[in-house]
Amino acid sequence: MFYNLDSITVSRWERGVNIPSLAKQAKIVELYDNELTCIYACDQKFLQESTHLIKCHSNQQKSIHPYYKNDEYNIQTIDIKDDSFYLVLRMILRYEGNPTLMLQPPLQEFDSLNDLKISVATAVNGQIVGHCLFLTTTENVLTEIIDTSKDLSAIINSNNDNEHDAMLVFSSSGATKQVENSIMSTYLHHFSQQRKMRCLCFYTCDGNLAKTLNLAKLKTYRVTKVKFQGRIINIRSYLLKRSELMANRFLLKLAIITPKQLGCLLGANTKEQVHECTHCR
């Protein structure tokens, strides 16, 4: 039996007996040209779960950054037009440790950097406490990357002018779990709002990110072994179709948070303020 999820609210499902699983719901809403994020963004109970995923125990989280002590921070997404783009990109390329992210300077000579985006979290005195490097591309290019383990310079040069329907996430990290989840929320929400985006791929050698994705019950699509400076680096790829992303409870919780809600949450220090922020649009 098919449910028209456009006319049935989540709260009514919770009172009923036959509640479709998230996987079934994701497939059903696509039949009706709807979005699961739109439906769950209206469910206050699920939205509270989303806010707690980002805010819960933030003061008790140990920071991996030597000077960051759970201070307030801001997140913005920048591209090649931003004055700080090359500076942040150099930092990511230097410290990420992913051999496929090698770009030889001067970076300004790469004409295809337009599709490369960086979400960056900055705290007091402009210190960077979290970042994500992602690229919008096509599903064909994405599949080719996974199969051939091309480096970033080859990837961006093979990116074409066809309508982009995929997102490739190279790097995603934060000084604490809160920062990490906040960063993930920015690009997952961006992905969810672009109806033309059909698949997303994490392509990383970051052990912490891989651990987070494994805890979110994502299965490794492929492990590519790359020899780099006398060592073997394992590049893990996690490939998700749009409906699979929507069906993952952890990712869906982060995807429904709008930038305005996230900004509201990051400035909230009390339960009352967090509750108020769930109503921001």
Side-chain angles (χ1 to χ4, degrees), residues 68 70-78 118-132 173 178-179 182-183 186 259-260 262-268:
Y68 176 70
N70 289 307
D71 304 309
E72 290 187 358
Y73 57 94
N74 297 312
I75 297 177
Q76 64 177 141
T77 299
I78 61 177
I118 301 172
S119 288
V120 57
T122 53
V124 61
N125 295 326
Q127 61 182 329
I128 296 177
V129 295
H131 71 266
C132 168
S173 64
Q178 177 183 328
V179 181
S182 299
I183 286 284
T186 60
K260 184 175 181 180
L262 182 60
C264 203
L265 281 171
L266 299 185

Side-chain angles (χ1 to χ4, degrees), residues 15-229:
R15 291 197 298 267
V17 177
N18 297 318
I19 304 175
S21 67
L22 275 181
K24 289 182 179 179
Q25 291 176 37
K27 293 178 180 178
I28 293 170
V29 293
E30 286 202 36
L31 291 177
Y32 289 91
D33 195 30
N34 207 332
E35 290 287 347
L36 207 60
T37 47
C38 296
I39 294 172
Y40 274 86
C42 297
D43 176 18
Q44 290 302 309
K45 182 178 179 181
F46 193 84
L47 198 51
Q48 277 192 333
E49 290 181 28
S50 301
T51 59
H52 288 313
L53 178 61
I54 293 177
K55 290 291 294 182
C56 193
H57 308 306
S58 61
N59 292 329
Q60 302 173 18
Q61 295 175 1
K62 185 177 180 180
S63 172
I64 62 173
H65 190 288
Y67 306 115
Y68 176 70
K69 307 298 181 185
N70 289 307
D71 304 309
E72 290 187 358
Y73 57 94
N74 297 312
I75 297 177
Q76 64 177 141
T77 299
I78 61 177
D79 57 21
I80 195 173
K81 299 176 183 177
D82 192 280
D83 291 339
S84 62
F85 177 79
Y86 291 112
L87 178 64
V88 179
L89 180 57
R90 286 190 183 94
M91 181 209 72
I92 294 174
L93 299 182
R94 179 176 180 181
Y95 293 105
E96 194 61 30
N98 187 337
T100 64
L101 295 185
M102 295 298 104
L103 284 176
Q104 296 300 323
L107 299 177
Q108 288 85 344
E109 292 184 1
F110 286 91
D111 296 328
S112 302
L113 286 175
N114 290 326
D115 300 318
L116 203 60
K117 303 287 191 301
I118 301 172
S119 288
V120 57
T122 53
V124 61
N125 295 326
Q127 61 182 329
I128 296 177
V129 295
H131 71 266
C132 168
L133 180 68
F134 65 96
L135 178 79
T136 55
T137 184
T138 65
E139 187 171 358
N140 289 338
V141 171
L142 189 151
T143 304
E144 183 182 355
I145 293 164
I146 297 173
D147 291 340
T148 61
S149 66
K150 288 183 177 180
D151 59 29
L152 183 56
S153 58
I155 293 169
I156 61 177
N157 286 328
S158 64
N159 225 15
N160 50 48
D161 294 329
N162 293 338
E163 187 173 18
H164 291 177
D165 59 0
M167 179 182 289
L168 185 59
V169 180
F170 295 105
S171 168
S172 184
S173 64
T176 65
K177 277 296 177 184
Q178 177 183 328
V179 181
E180 180 182 291
N181 288 346
S182 299
I183 286 284
M184 291 186 75
S185 178
T186 60
Y187 59 83
L188 289 175
H189 180 76
H190 176 74
F191 177 91
S192 71
Q193 295 302 299
Q194 308 299 311
R195 297 290 294 272
K196 59 189 178 184
M197 292 288 176
R198 306 314 306 165
C199 59
L200 180 144
C201 179
F202 292 93
Y203 191 71
T204 181
C205 68
D206 187 331
N208 289 329
L209 177 57
K211 183 178 179 180
T212 297
L213 298 177
N214 291 335
L215 289 174
K217 300 181 179 179
L218 298 190
K219 294 182 179 180
T220 304
Y221 178 78
R222 177 165 296 176
V223 177
T224 304
K225 296 184 180 298
V226 179
K227 190 173 183 179
F228 180 66
Q229 295 181 348

